[in-house]
């Protein structure tokens, strides 16, 4: 499959395994300040987290037929939610992709 070939190619180009990103799972233990528990091993605090737009509160205002309204597209993370993250920068940063 094309995905497998791409993964092999990326892996073969990396000279150091720490340069690769790992998909990891976590659970939000605190919403403010944001903290995420990773595999019951350690907790990552907000200064080490990069949040995608899908895990940040996002509201939009739309106008249809002259009437405006505001709606929430994405909610901020809440305590107890499971998340998918990428470990980057040799584990110094974690990119929070989505809930799940």
């Amino acid at each position: 499959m094309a995905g497998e070939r791409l993964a092999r190619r990326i892996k073969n180009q990396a000279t150091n395994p720490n340069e690769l990103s790992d998909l990891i799972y976590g659970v939000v233990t605190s919403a403010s300040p944001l903290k995420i528990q990773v595999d019951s091993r350690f907790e990552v605090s907000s200064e080490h987290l990069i949040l995608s737009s899908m895990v940040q509160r996002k509201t939009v205002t739309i106008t249809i037929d002259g009437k405006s309204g505001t709606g929430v597209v994405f909610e901020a993370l809440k305590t107890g939610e499971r998340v998918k993250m990428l470990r980057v920068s040799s584990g110094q940063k974690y990119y929070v992709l989505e809930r799940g």
Side-chain angles (χ1 to χ4, degrees):
M1 283 176 87
E4 292 172 358
R5 284 185 295 210
L6 177 60
R8 258 194 316 274
R9 189 174 203 180
I10 291 170
K11 186 176 180 179
N12 291 338
Q13 286 182 351
T15 58
N16 182 348
N18 290 332
E19 292 176 11
L20 298 174
S21 296
D22 296 325
L23 179 64
I24 58 175
Y25 298 88
V27 177
V28 178
T29 56
S30 171
S32 183
L34 184 59
K35 293 181 184 176
I36 298 176
Q37 182 78 31
V38 178
D39 298 331
S40 301
R41 294 182 297 176
F42 58 94
E43 192 170 66
V44 181
S45 56
S46 59
E47 61 264 12
H48 299 285
L49 297 170
I50 303 165
L51 304 177
S52 74
S53 60
M54 292 176 30
V55 296
Q56 298 180 54
R57 183 172 175 81
K58 173 82 172 167
T59 59
V60 294
T61 302
I62 59 170
T63 303
I64 300 174
D65 296 331
K67 296 181 182 179
S68 293
T70 302
V72 177
V73 178
F74 297 113
E75 288 286 351
L77 291 171
K78 296 179 179 84
T79 301
E81 286 189 301
R82 294 187 50 78
V83 293
K84 294 177 187 173
M85 303 185 292
L86 288 177
R87 181 181 64 92
V88 294
S89 299
S90 299
Q92 299 302 309
K93 293 286 184 181
Y94 295 82
Y95 185 80
V96 184
L97 295 167
E98 62 186 5
R99 291 165 172 84

